[in-house]
Amino acid sequence: MFIPLVPVSSIRVMTGEPSRACPQQVGPYRILDVLGEGGMGTVYLAEQKEPVRRRAAVKVVKLGMDSKAVLARFEAERKALAMMEHHCIATVFDAGLTAQGQPWFAMEYVKGIPITEYCDRNKVGLRERITLFQQVCSGVQHAHLKGVMHRDLKPSNVLVTVQDGKAVPKIIDFGLAKATDHHLVEATIYTQHGQFVGTPEYMSPEQAGLDGLDVDTRTDVYSLGVLLYELLTGDVPFARRELRQAGHLEMQRVIREQDPVRPSTRVSSLGASASEIATVRQTDAASLQRRLRGDLDWIALKALEKDRTRRYETAHELAADLQRHLDHEPVLASPPGVAYRLKKLVRRHRGQFAAAGLVLLTAVVGAVVALEQRSQALASARLATELAAEKGRTVDHFQQLAGIVRLEDARRTELELWPPWPGRIAAMEAWLRDHAGRLVAMRPKLEATVSDLRRGAVPGAGDAQAWTFPADAEGEAARFLHDALAGLLRDLGELERVQQQDVARRLRWARALEAGLCRAHPQARVSWAAARDAIAKADGTVASTLYEGQPIALEEDAVTGLVPIGMNPVTKLWEFYDLRSAWDGTSDPAAIAIPSHRPDGSTEVTEQGGIVFVLLPGGTFTMGSQRSDPSAPNHDSEALADEVPHPVQLAPFLLARHELTQAQWARLCTWDAAQRQPSFYAVGQTAVGRRITGTHPVEQVDWAMCEQLLTRYGMVLPTEAQWEYACRAGTATPWVVDLAQLPRHANVASAEARASGSSWVCESWEDGHVIHAPVGSFAPNPFGLFDLHGNVFEWCRDGAGDYGTERRGDGLRQGDAEDLRVVRGGSFANPSAQARSANRLHNSASIRDDTLGLRAARLLRP
């Protein structure tokens, strides 16, 4: 099936009888209907009865199109397809000539729809889109290994069909294929001079050249890059309408010279439609931009490089880099260097730089003429000096544009300075000196240049940033330079206000750690040496016997930033204090107060307090619903089916005693003022008669926000297995206690909520709270952990997926749907059934809700 002009989804129902425009028979195939038409021929739906009964797509060259060149290309297509044996490439069945002498061949009938349409119609998430695209790359790689290029890869030539319940892409229409094998080149090399062979939106720069010969397999890699771009953003790199409406030469110029914007930037420019684009990718616009920013931006742009030597060499290499992204490994694609980007800047603004060159040339010519007209040596020297100074000023102005590239480098490098541990001190110092320092030092010069440029412009009415320049070459160059440098000044202000201050804060923290803050904190009651010795003994006198026989390596890099509190007198488990989550960023880190255990094993919860981590022993536990409780209200049998009990083996790990509080989030989230207080029920607010404090759990945070914050401080979200293991604390009942005792342990939707007019499904008891309570308000479980039943749901690290693939050690499931993430524990707005130890729910990773929070974990080396 080839280049259908009507979408496959709109093909009419087949009656088994051909329309009057169709031939009755082609070879052994009875024609049923027309599937579509392309530039070379017509594609029919046909049926073969002998020797096998099957349907096929039969392609017949049009009358009048049977020139030697066209027939040669058609023959090459037939030979090329006959060599293919790949599940993602439509199979060729047969070939021949019609009674009129028209070549035809029959191939597998793909009952599918274009890959982009399939993904949008079925709301396929980003990870699944990438996985589907990788299969397309596999098919293209197979063709390349057979010596064949496609040269017209686009959504309508990559159809998706469903086989055995799984989506399978099929590449069709190799009608424009150019064989790289020398046996086939002879038939396809004589492409008419200046004729486009392909579809403009998906055409590589070399394919859009004046000849069609200088192409190789990397032209298909470029087209794959366009297809990837469209799958990620919902749009092609260059707008279809503008490209199609441009003249032939302008179309070539755009394809060969104009750089596409990053996918994340394209999403941000889509306006109102961005939300719709994100929805069909199971996310929202802001989260989609975050997902695309970084690896996927660079992978797509590397595939779309104008210079094919910088492009991926093969389709396999492109697919492999995408797999590295999915596996959270470093990708081959990376930002190009400063010199290369400056070169690209000149190419993007060739007109403005040409105008600047004209200015410089005028200055030089003017100097020569003036010198010839002046006879006095002193006057000539003075004039030459003045003109040389003017020329130097113009060159210097354009040299300042390098600051744009330096700023981009500074922003990218700043992201590499996490976590703020001693090992990154040198890198942070270098960043403040070599990146931020030099950029900030440019400010006076930039301000002078912008001021100088504005002397020849008129300020815009009511807009201090809008200036009008003369409508000539010199004015156009000045306008470009002014706008670029004024924008750079604004960005430098942001760099000074946020990134520079934040890196300085990180550096101060790292230096405090290097100076022994955790090893010799003035308020530490237990040394690290004593803690390690006690945990290693694990004889029940100084540590829980649950650690016995478990080699727990409390290496310094695994516990950076923690101070031992001591063994909990009730649980007999060791607990540790995270100093960074208690530091306000300005005071002396050595003055941070370390809590001590009360007789009941608890520690005081204050707005100034940091995270208390509990060292949980490892072991094998049974995960899932282990015993139904007929008294449990709203006990959903369908939900239980997703909670099949099975054994999971976990290594020891650290888990926060409480849900992360609003005050702790604000102290840790130092790089983004807009995200510093995300909660719906925010500190200082009064809600349902209760004043919200910094000890209430943070909520209305999506999965990516949580993952970003924790990762930057050496923490992680717990896996679903770790969460349930911690929640159960050795129990095998629906909740950690009997249902009658649950009101002491769980903040769920209760009688107070019903009395306040809530429409929630509520329990009959009262627990004292309508919305979330300050952390630690209810009784702990046997591990000394609070609020695992109720209060707010807690994000888990895993994607949503079936049980049975948990990794030994941390229990992480891999290969699940990453656009959907598991949440556990119930909330103040849900009944007790959803707060069961085994209850599983999943949400879009981008959702933010006033019932969604988090709990931090830290991993230890095995």
Side-chain angles (χ1 to χ4, degrees):
M1 186 165 75
F2 305 85
I3 320 180
L5 295 184
V6 269
V8 178
S9 57
S10 65
I11 293 177
R12 57 188 176 279
V13 177
M14 303 303 175
T15 62
E17 295 298 327
S19 65
R20 284 180 293 178
C22 299
Q24 297 291 318
Q25 191 87 11
V26 173
Y29 298 91
R30 186 169 69 92
I31 303 301
L32 302 178
D33 212 333
V34 178
L35 290 175
E37 292 188 58
M40 286 174 50
T42 304
V43 184
Y44 300 102
L45 177 67
E47 182 181 46
Q48 182 183 14
K49 292 187 176 180
E50 293 180 353
V52 294
R53 189 181 184 91
R54 61 189 175 192
R55 287 197 168 185
V58 175
K59 183 172 183 178
V60 181
V61 168
K62 287 182 179 180
L63 287 170
M65 289 290 293
D66 48 355
S67 67
K68 289 184 178 180
V70 171
L71 292 179
R73 190 181 301 162
F74 191 91
E75 178 66 10
E77 177 183 6
R78 185 187 67 78
K79 290 180 179 178
L81 280 173
M83 294 189 296
M84 307 301 174
E85 295 179 1
H86 193 279
H87 70 281
C88 290
I89 298 177
T91 306
V92 175
F93 296 147
D94 202 355
L97 294 174
T98 67
Q100 293 76 28
Q102 295 170 270
W104 64 266
F105 70 87
M107 64 180 295
E108 176 186 359
Y109 169 52
V110 181
K111 192 175 182 180
I113 60 177
I115 186 170
T116 50
E117 183 181 342
Y118 172 86
C119 289
D120 289 350
R121 183 185 296 181
N122 293 278
K123 295 186 176 179
V124 177
L126 276 186
R127 185 182 184 89
E128 290 72 26
R129 286 173 185 251
I130 291 172
T131 302
L132 201 60
F133 176 78
Q134 287 175 306
Q135 295 183 56
V136 179
C137 292
S138 175
V140 173
Q141 180 72 12
H142 174 81
H144 289 175
L145 292 175
K146 294 290 185 179
V148 179
M149 293 185 299
H150 191 289
R151 295 213 297 172
D152 197 23
L153 288 168
K154 56 187 177 182
S156 60
N157 282 340
V158 182
L159 305 182
V160 176
T161 183
V162 178
Q163 298 178 359
D164 298 326
K166 294 185 177 180
V168 178
K170 290 279 187 179
I171 306 170
I172 62 171
D173 200 352
F174 276 79
L176 296 171
K178 175 181 177 180
T180 55
D181 183 85
H182 68 89
H183 295 298
L184 296 177
V185 166
E186 296 174 357
T188 58
I189 199 169
Y190 299 107
T191 303
Q192 184 178 348
H193 179 77
Q195 179 181 346
F196 272 167
V197 179
T199 305
E201 295 90 334
Y202 302 87
M203 188 179 296
S204 68
E206 59 270 23
Q207 206 173 352
L210 294 178
D211 59 64
L213 307 181
D214 187 25
V215 295
D216 56 25
T217 54
R218 287 170 293 185
T219 198
D220 280 347
V221 173
Y222 182 93
S223 300
L224 285 170
V226 179
L227 182 58
L228 174 63
Y229 194 104
E230 190 170 5
L231 286 170
L232 297 177
T233 70
D235 201 2
V236 289
F238 306 114
R240 286 185 172 87
R241 178 177 297 180
E242 287 78 357
L243 197 61
R244 295 280 182 165
Q245 289 178 348
H248 183 86
L249 292 178
E250 175 62 14
M251 186 185 297
Q252 283 185 313
R253 187 198 67 77
V254 170
I255 295 172
R256 291 173 64 84
E257 298 180 9
Q258 186 172 317
D259 291 321
V261 299
R262 298 179 185 181
S264 59
T265 304
R266 172 55 59 86
V267 171
S268 66
S269 68
L270 293 176
S273 63
S275 178
E276 181 181 348
I277 295 294
T279 298
V280 297
R281 286 156 180 76
Q282 298 186 18
T283 185
D284 57 40
S287 297
L288 179 60
Q289 289 178 52
R290 284 197 298 272
R291 287 286 305 278
L292 298 180
R293 193 176 299 128
D295 284 358
L296 292 177
D297 273 341
W298 293 115
I299 290 172
L301 293 184
K302 184 175 178 66
L304 293 171
E305 278 283 358
K306 303 295 186 190
D307 180 357
R308 60 184 169 184
T309 63
R310 294 182 57 83
R311 214 176 289 160
Y312 290 104
E313 286 290 328
T314 65
H316 172 74
E317 193 175 277
L318 169 58
D321 223 12
L322 286 168
Q323 190 59 46
R324 292 185 191 93
H325 164 73
L326 296 179
D327 293 340
H328 308 291
E329 297 175 356
V331 299
L332 296 180
S334 61
V338 173
Y340 179 76
R341 278 176 284 168
L342 278 174
K343 176 181 168 185
K344 302 262 277 188
L345 182 68
V346 172
R347 188 173 69 191
R348 283 199 303 271
H349 302 286
R350 181 174 296 172
Q352 292 89 336
F353 276 94
L358 180 61
V359 173
L360 297 180
L361 180 61
T362 302
V364 173
V365 172
V368 173
V369 173
L371 286 170
E372 287 179 351
Q373 292 177 344
R374 300 292 181 94
S375 58
Q376 297 182 2
L378 185 60
S380 298
R382 185 168 56 249
L383 179 59
T385 301
E386 292 172 354
L387 290 171
E390 178 63 30
K391 173 187 173 183
R393 265 199 310 275
T394 306
V395 173
D396 183 61
H397 289 174
F398 274 86
Q399 287 177 340
Q400 291 175 37
L401 290 172
I404 297 173
V405 178
R406 293 194 189 105
L407 179 63
E408 185 180 326
D409 279 342
R411 287 171 167 166
R412 176 178 53 82
T413 308
E414 178 264 326
L415 297 177
E416 300 170 359
L417 304 178
W418 297 99
W421 298 160
R424 288 185 171 84
I425 287 177
M428 286 186 270
E429 290 174 338
W431 188 90
L432 289 168
R433 179 186 65 250
D434 300 334
H435 287 286
R438 292 180 181 177
L439 281 166
V440 171
M442 291 178 63
R443 175 179 287 281
K445 199 170 186 178
L446 288 169
E447 290 173 339
T449 300
V450 170
S451 178
D452 186 39
L453 290 167
R454 286 176 177 175
R455 292 196 184 100
V458 178
D463 187 353
Q465 301 300 324
W467 290 76
T468 303
F469 290 82
D472 54 20
E474 187 173 345
E476 177 66 13
R479 182 201 60 76
F480 160 73
L481 191 58
H482 169 271
D483 292 350
L485 296 182
L488 177 58
L489 273 173
R490 290 192 295 272
D491 291 342
L492 281 181
E494 179 70 14
L495 181 81
E496 291 179 76
R497 288 191 304 273
V498 181
Q499 288 97 339
Q500 189 179 24
Q501 292 185 20
D502 193 46
V503 173
R505 188 183 298 113
R506 286 180 238 168
L507 178 59
R508 183 181 178 190
W509 181 253
R511 285 172 173 166
L513 294 177
E514 186 181 48
L517 177 66
C518 298
R519 294 190 301 272
H521 192 283
Q523 296 185 38
R525 297 167 182 82
V526 181
S527 70
W528 266 110
R532 291 189 183 98
D533 184 58
I535 292 168
K537 286 182 178 178
D539 59 5
T541 59
V542 290
S544 171
T545 55
L546 291 174
Y547 299 137
E548 190 171 0
Q550 299 187 18
I552 299 176
L554 295 177
E555 299 176 15
E556 189 161 342
D557 59 346
V559 291
T560 302
L562 301 185
V563 172
I565 296 176
M567 186 179 70
N568 188 298
V570 175
T571 67
K572 304 301 181 182
L573 297 176
W574 273 75
E575 297 178 355
F576 304 85
Y577 194 59
D578 179 74
L579 296 174
R580 178 60 187 85
S581 57
W583 186 51
D584 62 8
T586 59
S587 61
D588 181 4
I592 297 172
I594 299 177
S596 57
H597 287 120
R598 295 167 172 162
D600 64 358
S602 67
T603 54
E604 183 181 9
V605 177
T606 67
E607 290 190 340
Q608 294 74 37
I611 301 170
V612 175
F613 281 104
V614 180
L615 177 59
L616 298 181
T620 300
F621 84 108
T622 301
M623 184 177 181
S625 294
Q626 298 167 41
R627 190 185 73 190
S628 62
D629 186 344
S631 65
N634 305 305
H635 208 74
D636 188 350
S637 59
E638 184 178 350
L640 284 174
D642 197 32
E643 302 162 7
V644 179
H646 61 291
V648 177
Q649 186 170 1
L650 296 176
F653 64 100
L654 292 158
L655 187 68
R657 166 179 274 195
H658 304 105
E659 294 160 333
L660 196 72
T661 68
Q662 296 195 31
Q664 290 164 354
W665 178 282
R667 285 192 291 270
L668 292 172
C669 187
T670 57
W671 63 88
D672 190 337
Q675 292 186 5
R676 203 160 296 160
Q677 292 192 349
S679 298
F680 179 81
Y681 300 106
V683 174
Q685 177 185 350
T686 299
V688 289
R690 297 291 180 95
R691 183 170 178 79
I692 307 299
T693 70
T695 62
H696 280 74
V698 68
E699 22 87 359
Q700 202 154 262
V701 287
D702 63 38
W703 186 91
M705 292 168 64
C706 300
E707 179 79 356
Q708 181 187 60
L709 180 132
L710 294 179
T711 301
R712 289 185 171 187
Y713 291 100
M715 298 180 278
V716 293
L717 288 167
T719 64
E720 192 177 3
Q722 288 173 332
W723 190 97
E724 185 173 329
Y725 172 73
C727 180
R728 288 193 175 282
T731 65
T733 51
W735 302 273
V736 76
V737 293
D738 293 337
L739 183 61
Q741 298 176 295
L742 195 59
R744 292 185 56 249
H745 290 261
N747 177 16
V748 296
S750 54
E752 294 93 342
R754 185 184 293 112
S756 69
S758 170
S759 60
W760 304 332
V761 176
C762 299
E763 306 293 351
S764 59
W765 65 72
E766 293 185 354
D767 58 26
H769 298 273
V770 177
I771 61 170
H772 51 60
V775 300
S777 297
F778 291 78
N781 73 3
F783 280 167
L785 304 170
F786 293 82
D787 303 314
L788 285 155
H789 295 313
N791 219 30
V792 291
F793 278 108
E794 299 172 15
W795 287 108
C796 291
R797 187 152 42 115
D798 319 64
D802 295 333
Y803 279 157
T805 60
E806 290 83 5
R807 184 168 65 187
R808 181 174 179 174
D810 62 0
L812 182 67
R813 285 193 314 276
Q814 296 179 313
D816 293 341
E818 292 194 356
D819 287 338
L820 296 175
R821 296 286 175 173
V822 175
V823 295
R824 288 290 205 126
S827 80
F828 63 84
N830 301 94
S832 60
Q834 292 194 14
R836 289 180 295 107
S837 298
N839 189 68
R840 315 176 68 211
L841 293 175
H842 60 260
N843 277 323
S844 166
S846 61
I847 194 170
R848 297 177 61 180
D849 189 83
D850 60 359
T851 65
L852 270 174
L854 73 151
R855 184 183 301 264
R858 288 191 68 160
L859 304 181
L860 302 174
R861 290 184 179 179

